[in-house]
């Protein structure tokens, strides 16, 4: 259960060594790398936080007492963060389907599990779906998050610390103590 930023940090500190899917990095490394790439690119703290948190639902799902669905994780996070943090995460699959439409090579650059899940997710967007997607307030943020995510799979990348991103999350949490 995520009630505050400390719960998020504890989750990554205690369980972040779980492998990130079939990749060669752990969940913690992947989160730190995605957020570090965003910060180094000069992104706003909301995007840096979104990058750190974007796979938290899959990490929670690995725990016996974790939320069972991405929706349940989102409900918990919605108590803490504004849409500017959460919406780029919620649009993660949409951004992937969008990029598969506008950059036909994008699909082949995805990891194998991500390529395989694409069809279940609806395949590349149609032109009209893409037009609707681009009207979403956080569509471009979601696309940039996707780009950092795609690069954040390097076993030896130097990153900023969990403590550092904890401070970023703290600065954005709307309810620090409940
Ligand atoms: Fe990811």
């Amino acid at each position: 259960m995520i009630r505050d930023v400390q719960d998020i940090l504890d989750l990554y500190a205690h369980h972040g060594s779980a492998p990130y899917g079939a990749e060669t990095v752990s969940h913690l490394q992947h989160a730190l790398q995605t957020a570090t790439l965003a910060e180094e690119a000069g992104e706003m703290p909301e995007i840096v936080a979104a990058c750190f948190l974007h796979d938290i639902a899959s990490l929670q799902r690995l725990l016996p007492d974790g939320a069972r669905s991405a929706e349940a994780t989102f409900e918990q996070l919605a108590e803490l963060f504004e849409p500017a943090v959460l919406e780029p995460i919620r649009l993660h699959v949409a951004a992937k389907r969008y990029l598969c439409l506008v950059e036909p090579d994008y699909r082949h650059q995805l990891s194998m599990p991500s390529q395989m899940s694409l069809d279940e997710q609806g395949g590349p967007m149609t032109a009209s779906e893409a037009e609707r997607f681009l009207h979403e307030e956080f569509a471009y943020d979601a696309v940039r998050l996707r780009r950092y995510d795609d690069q954040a799979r390097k076993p030896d990348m130097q990153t900023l610390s969990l403590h550092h991103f904890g401070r970023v999350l703290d600065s954005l949490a709307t309810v620090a103590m409940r």
Side-chain angles (χ1 to χ4, degrees), residues 20 30 34 54-55 92 149 153:
Y20 174 61
H30 181 64
T34 311
H54 78 277
D55 282 317
H92 201 50
D149 174 26
R153 292 146 205 264

Side-chain angles (χ1 to χ4, degrees), residues 160-178:
L160 297 163
S161 66
L162 180 60
H163 177 73
H164 171 82
F165 293 115
R167 285 206 310 254
V168 174
L169 295 176
D170 261 332
S171 75
L172 296 168
T174 49
V175 183
M177 291 287 178
R178 295 182 73 81

Side-chain angles (χ1 to χ4, degrees), residues 89-174:
I89 306 175
R90 191 181 63 77
L91 294 171
H92 201 50
V93 169
K96 168 182 163 183
R97 295 184 57 230
Y98 169 76
L99 283 168
C100 287
L101 170 71
V102 297
E103 294 177 12
D105 281 350
Y106 184 77
R107 180 177 193 152
H108 305 291
Q109 295 163 25
L110 293 170
S111 66
M112 198 44 78
S114 191
Q115 287 194 38
M116 285 168 60
S117 61
L118 178 66
D119 290 329
E120 289 162 31
Q121 292 160 342
M125 278 185 175
T126 62
S128 59
E129 283 177 323
E131 205 182 319
R132 268 201 305 281
F133 170 69
L134 292 178
H135 280 98
E136 294 267 3
E137 184 177 356
F138 299 101
Y140 290 103
D141 294 337
V143 168
R144 294 202 308 288
L145 190 164
R146 193 90 226 173
R147 305 268 195 212
Y148 302 128
D149 174 26
D150 292 335
Q151 295 170 54
R153 292 146 205 264
K154 305 183 188 93
D156 50 1
M157 180 184 158
Q158 294 290 316
T159 66
L160 297 163
S161 66
L162 180 60
H163 177 73
H164 171 82
F165 293 115
R167 285 206 310 254
V168 174
L169 295 176
D170 261 332
S171 75
L172 296 168
T174 49

Side-chain angles (χ1 to χ4, degrees), residues 1-2 11 56-63 66-68 73 76:
M1 177 80 186
I2 296 166
L11 174 66
I56 193 168
S58 1
L59 179 56
Q60 256 206 335
R61 230 175 3 248
L62 299 178
L63 308 185
R68 294 271 68 92
T73 301
Q76 295 169 17

Side-chain angles (χ1 to χ4, degrees), residues 5-26:
V5 170
Q6 192 56 50
D7 286 338
I8 296 171
L9 299 182
D10 288 347
L11 174 66
Y12 278 90
H14 298 142
H15 303 285
S17 60
Y20 174 61
E23 307 289 343
T24 49
V25 292
S26 69

